[in-house]
């Protein structure tokens, strides 16, 4: 019986303890971020297979937490955290175009981070083939991510929407000159 109890503990309890130890932020911090009205994932769904935190400099790391999924898009929230004080991680905000003006949001669609340039990008497909939608780029200033560029293609016309390949086309911010 004692061996069975040890085996059960090894198979059930220890992986749960290991999972808790691997989280980059305390559960309470992650749960607070997941209260974003756009987030639909539970804590358990959001914390499966997390990416490793990325260095931002000055002792801070960038922590990405998935927060919603859809048919061909997904979104995440981000924290700037000091690994020595993860309970004080700060939920980051991003300026995004809402169709009429820029507003602050806490989640980005289809995000990717370039650690060399300290640049966070987003890409939201208007439909599955990706021929329309929105894209943004934010650069780390040392304290926050500042909007570098924002692109919007409303017309889903079968023609490729790729702001990386055509950075001046579909540009909303900064305004084209």
């Amino acid at each position: 019986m004692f061996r069975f109890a040890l085996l059960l503990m090894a198979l059930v309890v220890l992986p749960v303890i290991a999972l808790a130890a691997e989280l980059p932020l305390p559960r309470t911090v992650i749960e607070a971020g997941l209260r974003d009205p756009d987030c639909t994932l539970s804590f358990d769904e959001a914390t499966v297979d997390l990416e490793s935190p990325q260095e931002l400099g000055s002792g801070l790391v960038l922590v990405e937490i998935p927060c919603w999924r859809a048919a061909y898009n997904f979104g995440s929230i981000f924290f700037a955290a000091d690994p020595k004080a993860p309970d004080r991680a700060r939920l980051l905000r991003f300026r995004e175009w809402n169709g009429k003006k820029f507003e602050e949001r806490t989640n980005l669609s289809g995000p990717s981070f370039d650690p060399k340039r300290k640049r966070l990008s987003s890409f939201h497909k208007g439909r599955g083939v990706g021929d329309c939608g929105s894209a943004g780029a934010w650069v780390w200033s040392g304290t926050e991510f500042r909007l570098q560029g924002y692109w919007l293609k409303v017309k889903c016309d079968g023609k490729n929407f790729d702001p990386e390949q055509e950075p001046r086309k579909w540009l909303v911010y900064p305004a084209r000159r």
Side-chain angles (χ1 to χ4, degrees):
M1 184 67 164
F2 179 71
R3 286 183 188 180
F4 178 74
L6 284 177
L7 179 62
L8 183 62
M9 188 167 93
L11 294 174
V12 177
V13 177
L14 291 178
V16 171
I17 292 169
L19 176 62
E22 293 175 15
L23 289 176
L25 300 173
R27 181 182 182 117
T28 55
V29 172
I30 295 170
E31 286 176 333
L34 290 172
R35 287 190 197 110
D36 177 299
D38 292 330
C39 291
T40 58
L41 297 181
S42 69
F43 173 84
D44 291 334
E45 292 169 320
T47 55
V48 173
D49 296 326
L50 292 176
E51 297 290 325
S52 296
Q54 298 286 322
E55 293 291 327
L56 287 173
S58 301
L60 296 176
V61 294
L62 178 67
V63 177
E64 177 180 358
I65 304 293
C67 105
W68 61 269
R69 289 186 202 112
Y72 43 83
N73 287 305
F74 63 95
S76 296
I77 54 175
F78 293 86
F79 295 87
D82 178 344
K84 295 174 185 170
D87 56 316
R88 294 190 308 197
R90 181 171 44 99
L91 181 62
L92 298 173
R93 299 185 171 284
F94 306 91
R95 286 182 56 212
E96 270 198 322
W97 186 252
N98 72 5
K100 298 178 183 175
K101 64 179 182 168
F102 283 96
E103 65 182 13
E104 283 195 343
R105 298 182 54 104
T106 58
N107 75 85
L108 294 178
S109 183
S112 64
F113 181 66
D114 178 345
K116 289 182 183 175
R117 297 192 291 170
K118 304 286 188 253
R119 184 176 190 246
L120 190 55
S121 302
S122 74
F123 187 81
H124 185 86
K125 294 178 181 181
R127 66 181 187 170
V129 296
D131 62 341
C132 57
S134 61
W138 297 262
V139 176
W140 183 249
S141 71
T143 58
E144 66 182 345
F145 278 96
R146 292 199 178 132
L147 184 62
Q148 181 183 44
Y150 202 85
W151 299 264
L152 179 65
K153 183 179 181 212
V154 178
K155 189 175 181 183
C156 301
D157 56 9
K159 295 178 184 171
N160 196 31
F161 172 50
D162 188 350
E164 292 286 326
Q165 294 296 317
E166 298 182 78
R168 301 210 37 83
K169 197 171 184 178
W170 312 293
L171 190 64
V172 174
Y173 177 88
R176 287 189 278 183
R177 293 182 187 117

